[in-house]
Amino acid sequence: MWRSPVVVITSSILVLIFLISLAAPLLIPHDPLTPNLQMRLLPPAWMKGGDPSHPLGTDHLGRDVLSWLIMGTRTSFLLSVGIILLAAVIGTALGIVSGYFGGAAEAVIMRLVDFFKAFPLILFALMMAVILGQGILVIVLIVTLHVWANYARMARGETLRVKTAEFVDVARMLGVSRLRIMWRHILPNVVTPLVVLATLSVGKCILFLSTLSFLGIGLPTSTPDWGIMIGIGRDYLSTAWWIALFPSAAITVVILCFNLLGDKLTEYINPDLRHEI
Amino acid sequence: MKPAASEKKEGEGPVAEPLLEVVDLHVHFARGKSVVRAVDGVSFRVMPGETVGIVGESGSGKSMTGLAILRLLPPPGKIAKGSIRFKGRDLAALPERDMRKLRGKEITMVLQDPQSSLNPLFTVGSQVREAYALHGRKEEGALRDQVIRALESVRIPDAARRLRQYPHQLSGGMKQRVVSAISMAGRPDLLIADEPTTALDATTQLQYLELLKELKDRHGMSIIFITHDLGLVARVCDRVAVMYAGEIVETAETGKLFARPAHPYTEALLLSVPRLEEKVDRLYSIPGRAPSRVDDSLTGCRFAARCPHAAEACTREKPELAEVDGGHFARCRFPRRA
């Protein structure tokens, strides 16, 4: 797997962005939120009228685009990964439980899955925002609730496949507890397609977050998020195009990396190849 | 360590306690309104140190009998009636919690398909270790040593290296031996082997039977050997029960069963086995098919429709298991005595 240039390049980029998101407050040349009206609408440094202290330009309030971009990794990258991880863990756990036990547990969990999958994201988000208001936790709740059901469904399907394998019978025959069977025997055997689903989902999640903040739902507009910056840049598309361009490019790069990586990983799901990794 | 079977018999009085006694076992599968009676009133006993064979064709209920003893019936299977007395306790009535403590420790099972009996994602060593961590004895030394000795005891060469290998790196025969090592972890009193050699080639089969015998002698274990292969039964079992359509139709000491089968079905089974010395143009097969176990309306002997010696009386009343000779029972009105 590590011999593939696609895997190496995309994961390197993603790791780099991850490190940036961790160290963001230390890396920003300026505070992305402080307005500086004297430096407003500056083009990127290499253009006429640009200023080297603002390499990617400034927005209508004079806020540094680069700093905004760097700080934005926290919401657009870190938060997305966190949400997907949360949704994946919850969804996988519920999916395995419903697949292994069947009966009432399965019925209840699958009806919940149907319920949450029935809502389109925007509609659901609007409803939740009206009820719960603004804030990061609201956003996390909205997207997690929207996404977990896919993992549950997939995990259940894979569990049904694995639980008929004879090594599960051997474990039951040995008197291994059901929890341990699910954790040690079922989970590792179902996890691979779920990991691929997760890598592909992060890209979607970034778009979700950007869309929601673009619409003004969830994140307060004073959060340095890529989606919010795109929203601001929309009004200046023909004049100060850099405000919208750079965050868009950043989103594109991240989503591309996750999707290419996830795509490549699907090739390695094939169990015949698995042991050669 | 347990005394070998022979020592046990010397120490005991003339009447020994059976290790396992199954009385009138019924296993039902409910499908909507209808009920499939997979096991329909089976009774037998297993003495300590004895190997009992259960023979029958597919669908005779032999596997379900084995699974019922360990209460591992696939849903919707249930023990509808009967008792399974093991060391003084009725397993059919035992709460699941207590059953789980018994499994792997006092009674274990070896399953049919060695290919999928081991988790493909974990090393052989870690899986054997899991069994010994659960059921091994602490005074027998470090876990790793116990695991290596376990693999050596099932004749796996170069055990220390095999520990780190994955199941797909082992042959079918070796996998089956690893599974045996896993099931021995608790030094069980009773091993239920459900078609353990079906997926193995002939040479490996014999090696495996040798191994089974060795394990049995070493631990003083009883074995219930479930199979459709009469040849294996002849080699391994002290006593045999023949099952047909959910019932036991004959039971006897192995030698007696093969020399003088009493039930026409057993006779027919033995006729079906081609002998190397004979030259035949056509293999003998029993005409007809085993009755479906959902049909409640069947009266009389279940084998009557296919029996070459059936009389009118056979279709009217169902025969009970009757003694035809010392320790030899058959469920037939007109038992054969060759």
Side-chain angles (χ1 to χ4, degrees), chain A residues 10 13-14 17 69 76-77 202-204 206-207 210 226-227 230 244-261:
Chain A
T10 55
I13 295 177
L14 292 175
I17 297 180
L69 220 54
S76 301
F77 184 87
V202 178
K204 273 190 4 195
I206 294 178
L207 280 178
S210 309
W226 293 346
I230 298 176
L245 177 79
F246 292 113
S248 306
I251 291 181
T252 306
V253 166
V254 172
I255 294 181
L256 247 176
C257 284
F258 269 114
N259 284 8
L260 285 173
L261 184 62

Side-chain angles (χ1 to χ4, degrees), chain B residues 72-142:
Chain B
L72 284 177
L73 291 168
K78 282 213 160 52
I79 298 179
K81 212 168 99 173
S83 72
I84 304 173
R85 299 207 73 81
F86 177 75
K87 285 177 162 178
R89 289 193 287 181
D90 185 5
L91 300 185
L94 214 61
E96 174 66 18
R97 217 176 337 124
D98 298 328
M99 199 66 219
R100 210 177 297 145
K101 287 199 216 130
L102 239 141
R103 286 193 198 117
K105 187 136 194 78
E106 294 173 62
I107 310 181
T108 51
M109 195 160 181
V110 174
L111 302 160
Q112 182 171 324
D113 184 11
Q115 298 300 335
S116 54
S117 289
L118 295 171
N119 191 327
L121 298 180
F122 296 107
T123 61
V124 165
S126 77
Q127 297 189 54
V128 180
R129 189 181 312 128
E130 185 180 15
Y132 276 82
L134 260 176
H135 295 301
R137 277 139 217 224
K138 296 195 184 63
E139 58 283 5
E140 286 181 19

Side-chain angles (χ1 to χ4, degrees), chain B residues 17-334:
Chain B
E17 273 291 303
L19 179 67
L20 178 78
E21 184 153 21
V22 176
V23 178
D24 197 31
L25 180 66
H26 291 255
V27 172
H28 289 184
F29 283 76
R31 303 249 154 134
K33 287 263 164 66
S34 61
V35 171
V36 176
R37 306 204 300 273
V39 178
D40 213 6
V42 160
S43 307
F44 64 95
R45 59 161 73 142
V46 180
M47 305 303 280
E50 192 181 29
T51 302
V52 174
I54 302 185
V55 200
E57 52 192 86
S58 301
S60 56
K62 55 191 197 303
S63 289
M64 289 301 147
T65 305
L67 289 171
I69 295 174
L70 270 174
R71 295 259 298 273
L72 284 177
L73 291 168
K78 282 213 160 52
I79 298 179
K81 212 168 99 173
S83 72
I84 304 173
R85 299 207 73 81
F86 177 75
K87 285 177 162 178
R89 289 193 287 181
D90 185 5
L91 300 185
L94 214 61
E96 174 66 18
R97 217 176 337 124
D98 298 328
M99 199 66 219
R100 210 177 297 145
K101 287 199 216 130
L102 239 141
R103 286 193 198 117
K105 187 136 194 78
E106 294 173 62
I107 310 181
T108 51
M109 195 160 181
V110 174
L111 302 160
Q112 182 171 324
D113 184 11
Q115 298 300 335
S116 54
S117 289
L118 295 171
N119 191 327
L121 298 180
F122 296 107
T123 61
V124 165
S126 77
Q127 297 189 54
V128 180
R129 189 181 312 128
E130 185 180 15
Y132 276 82
L134 260 176
H135 295 301
R137 277 139 217 224
K138 296 195 184 63
E139 58 283 5
E140 286 181 19
L143 209 50
R144 188 169 185 272
D145 296 326
Q146 284 190 37
V147 169
I148 293 185
R149 265 181 284 138
L151 289 178
E152 285 169 353
S153 78
V154 291
R155 311 252 203 85
I156 290 191
D158 203 3
R161 189 173 63 91
R162 295 282 180 191
L163 278 188
R164 289 191 299 270
Q165 288 190 330
Y166 286 88
H168 73 277
Q169 293 171 284
L170 269 59
S171 69
M174 249 188 270
K175 275 192 261 231
Q176 193 65 306
R177 282 187 259 165
V178 171
V179 173
S180 304
I182 288 177
S183 45
M184 290 291 123
R187 303 272 191 272
D189 300 308
L190 176 65
L191 172 74
I192 304 176
D194 188 359
E195 311 248 26
T197 54
T198 305
L200 303 174
D201 64 79
T203 323
T204 321
Q205 274 189 13
L206 290 178
Q207 289 174 349
Y208 183 76
L209 292 182
E210 280 304 311
L211 176 67
L212 217 51
K213 214 151 160 238
E214 205 184 301
L215 289 174
K216 182 189 104 150
D217 291 335
R218 193 186 309 153
H219 300 301
M221 185 172 69
S222 302
I223 301 182
I224 296 180
F225 197 93
I226 301 174
T227 182
H228 59 270
D229 188 332
L230 289 163
L232 296 178
V233 162
R235 281 182 184 275
V236 167
C237 303
D238 302 314
R239 273 193 306 125
V240 187
V242 180
M243 275 188 78
Y244 182 78
E247 295 178 313
I248 293 186
V249 295
E250 183 164 3
T251 155
E253 250 178 64
T254 313
K256 275 197 186 157
L257 191 96
F258 279 80
R260 289 205 301 271
H263 196 282
Y265 178 60
T266 315
E267 192 184 45
L269 279 183
L270 289 170
L271 275 177
S272 309
V273 178
R275 281 169 225 295
L276 208 54
E277 319 81 57
E278 286 173 7
K279 184 167 151 29
V280 284
D281 294 319
R282 240 201 176 152
L283 293 176
Y284 176 80
S285 72
I286 310 174
R289 305 178 66 190
S292 124
R293 236 73 52 56
V294 191
D295 197 348
D296 270 19
S297 59
L298 210 63
T299 50
C301 171
R302 288 188 188 171
F303 188 61
R306 309 167 73 188
C307 180
H309 313 289
E312 217 244 303
C314 295
T315 52
R316 263 183 300 150
E317 231 183 285
K318 194 163 93 152
E320 293 301 311
L321 264 182
E323 190 159 16
V324 295
D325 195 7
H328 188 159
F329 294 78
R331 191 186 290 275
C332 182
R333 293 218 117 73
F334 308 104

